[in-house]
Amino acid sequence: MLDALAHTLCLTPDRPAVLGSTRAGTVRVRATCGELAGLADRYAAALHARGIARGGTVGVAVRPGPRALAVMLAVHRLGARAAVLDPGAGPEVLRARLALARPDVVLADATAQAVAGWARPLAHRACLALPDLAELGPVATVGPRTPGCAPALDGAARSGALPRAVDEDGDAVVVFTSGTTSRPRAVVHTRSSLAAGMTAVTGLVGPKAGRPVLGGTFFVLVPSLASGAPVALPARSPRVLARQLRRLRPQATYLTPPRLRSALATGARFTGRVWTGSAPASADLLTRVKRAGAEEAWGVYALTEMFPAAAVEEADKAAFTGRGDLVGAPLPGVTAKSDASGELLLSGPAVRDRYLGEEPDPWVATGDRAHLDGGRIVLEGRCKDMVLREAENIYPGLYEPSLHVPGVELALLVGVPAGDGDERLVAVVQPRPGADRTALRAALAGPLERMGSARPDAVLLAEVPLSGRSRKPDRGAAAELAAARLADGGRG
């Protein structure tokens, strides 16, 4: 797919490739196909001049956009692998992770270097922090330099010889997922597993040439651009995003559930098909997206280890009456099964090759409990999120979907210590802005009654804490919030 993208970029150099937006929502071209191809060639020549070749590792701390995509294309051309740096992980964790990956060079834009340097106090408030990048390896600047930045990557290689593209399998990308500073864990995708994942996205979304797609992830950019569709990077502000959607009228949109909720709160309207993932998406959220103009609204079940694995459209999800969270049928080539403990296992061409430092394994243990309903995957909750109450094991994922009645933005079931190893089960329910709380409690009465022995001991109306890059609900923080509220008399 990356090879196909490089070919497509060269064939249509004047065609817009990456789009942005003004605050008024006006579409502007951030890079044409020719400019993107030229950047990739320059970066490949510069990395080649630094000795980066097949089997090498390049640390990448570049914001999503044309330069980040050009870096990935350059690394791919050389047969090296990209180790993605997440500024939200914290300096100590990143030091441990990169000690495992051992990059030959770290590519960073001026913003990343500021986060690691003079802007560290400001970045800390935004939960962003990088260690001194020079600790991780030699550093080169991608894009405009500001005072104190490392030398430019392509400063001395603008006319360097372009290396011949590597055309064989090997490691492509390293993405750190979890683990402690003493034992970091990272997913390793090969060129073939990465290509399989992007081929699956192409088959799922089916982008048409010439019509824009809105989305900022690598798995949106590459298949769309390779199909001849320009890609618009979503505006950060929900209000500007709403204007951008109105002006752009994209054929397909990919936004995380938190960004969809923020956009809907500003009255955003959608066109074409809308896709969401990276965090749970309720049937109610998908229904709201369709009411806001989308022709179809899809929830995508994906992991860092396998993207994508399954997908479900709003109509099917809304019609599902069983317990648990229906995430859809496995995509072509994906095999799904549950082990003896009920944990969902996945395999297929797009599965990661291995975890860094470990042996290859064709199966991914997802950490999700699940069962198959007519071949469709139904999640029952995270294995680690089980709540033990009066000797009964309660899996929140079985019951949380039923709490997403109209007027509910988010809902979690969490355990709060009750002494003697037992727990109290608490529902933390976040009302939608403007929702009537009395009416909301009345609407919850039926679903709570049907939960039977899993009915929560308390229902708190409060904002659900979020964390991470994709702003997923934070169960640990929600449990702490519930414990504090209960200790304070359970107000809310």
Side-chain angles (χ1 to χ4, degrees):
M1 182 68 70
L2 284 167
D3 294 330
L5 172 56
H7 180 68
T8 300
L9 295 177
C10 293
L11 284 178
T12 55
D14 297 327
R15 181 170 57 82
V18 182
L19 310 175
S21 172
T22 66
R23 290 194 60 80
T26 303
V27 178
R28 63 185 182 89
V29 178
R30 290 189 56 179
T32 64
C33 290
E35 289 168 341
L36 192 54
L39 269 180
D41 286 348
R42 284 166 47 190
Y43 293 162
L47 288 170
H48 178 65
R50 286 174 169 263
I52 303 299
R54 186 175 184 276
T57 300
V58 178
V60 180
V62 183
R63 287 169 299 170
R67 294 188 185 93
L69 181 55
V71 164
M72 298 300 290
L73 287 169
V75 172
H76 179 81
R77 181 185 183 94
L78 298 172
R81 66 184 183 186
V84 181
L85 307 184
D86 175 13
E92 296 305 319
V93 172
L94 275 172
R95 285 191 188 95
R97 290 175 173 181
L98 271 298
L100 181 64
R102 296 189 297 179
D104 300 294
V105 63
V106 176
L107 304 185
D109 56 22
T111 299
Q113 293 179 66
V115 166
W118 65 267
R120 183 176 289 137
L122 295 173
H124 182 71
R125 298 177 193 173
C127 300
L128 301 175
L130 286 168
D132 183 349
L133 295 176
E135 297 177 10
L136 308 178
V139 182
T141 300
V142 171
R145 294 177 65 245
T146 56
C149 279
L153 169 64
D154 55 350
R158 295 182 186 275
S159 59
L162 194 62
R164 185 175 180 178
V166 171
D167 187 20
E168 54 189 79
D169 204 6
D171 291 353
V173 64
V174 178
V175 184
F176 296 93
T177 58
S178 59
T180 63
T181 55
S182 61
R183 193 181 178 187
R185 206 167 200 208
V187 169
V188 180
H189 275 284
T190 61
R191 293 158 70 94
S192 58
S193 69
L194 199 62
M198 289 186 286
T199 298
V201 171
T202 303
L204 186 63
V205 179
K208 302 294 188 298
R211 297 183 58 198
V213 171
L214 183 101
T217 70
F218 185 70
F219 276 92
V220 171
L221 282 161
V222 174
S224 299
L225 290 172
S227 300
V231 179
L233 303 179
R236 294 182 182 181
S237 162
R239 293 190 181 281
V240 176
L241 175 59
R243 299 182 194 121
Q244 183 184 24
L245 286 164
R246 185 173 63 251
R247 294 287 188 93
L248 194 68
R249 296 188 60 81
Q251 62 170 307
T253 297
Y254 181 88
L255 295 169
T256 63
R259 299 206 70 183
L260 278 180
R261 288 191 290 267
S262 297
L264 287 166
T266 65
R269 300 291 298 175
F270 296 94
T271 54
R273 290 183 290 179
V274 176
W275 308 81
T276 189
S278 300
S282 67
D284 179 67
L285 176 61
L286 297 181
T287 299
R288 291 166 59 196
V289 169
K290 285 183 78 169
R291 288 174 180 167
E295 294 172 14
E296 298 176 2
W298 290 80
V300 180
Y301 177 58
L303 305 91
T304 305
E305 292 88 342
M306 186 178 203
F307 188 103
V312 63
E313 209 278 323
E314 178 272 340
D316 289 334
K317 186 149 187 164
F320 181 69
T321 57
R323 284 185 174 178
D325 183 17
L326 175 68
V327 295
L331 296 178
V334 177
T335 301
K337 67 180 182 179
S338 296
D339 66 11
S341 68
E343 183 175 5
L344 177 65
L345 306 179
L346 296 173
S347 186
V351 162
R352 56 91 185 97
D353 180 66
R354 66 193 188 281
Y355 293 102
L356 194 59
E358 299 180 20
E359 292 298 314
D361 185 348
W363 289 94
V364 169
T366 64
D368 290 319
R369 282 180 55 87
H371 67 271
L372 296 180
D373 180 306
R376 302 178 301 174
I377 300 172
V378 181
L379 300 183
E380 300 174 354
R382 297 289 291 170
C383 298
K384 65 180 181 181
D385 293 334
M386 182 192 78
V387 177
L388 180 63
R389 184 178 65 176
E390 296 179 354
E392 180 184 1
N393 296 340
I394 299 173
Y395 290 94
L398 272 174
Y399 305 98
E400 286 169 349
S402 66
L403 298 178
H404 285 82
V405 299
V408 170
E409 193 79 79
L410 284 172
L412 292 184
L413 290 169
V414 297
V416 174
D420 298 326
D422 205 1
E423 294 179 281
R424 297 182 69 186
L425 184 65
V426 180
V428 182
V429 178
Q430 178 177 322
R432 197 179 303 164
D436 182 278
R437 295 197 167 205
T438 300
L440 185 57
R441 286 191 178 276
L444 286 168
L448 291 170
E449 184 67 29
R450 290 190 292 273
M451 288 172 67
S453 62
R455 179 168 182 155
D457 300 293
V459 177
L460 301 178
L461 301 185
E463 186 172 340
V464 174
L466 305 177
S467 64
R469 286 177 299 173
S470 57
R471 309 301 293 154
K472 292 182 180 180
D474 188 328
R475 290 185 181 275
E480 292 177 2
L481 171 67
R485 288 286 186 90
L486 292 177
D488 195 34
R491 292 198 296 269

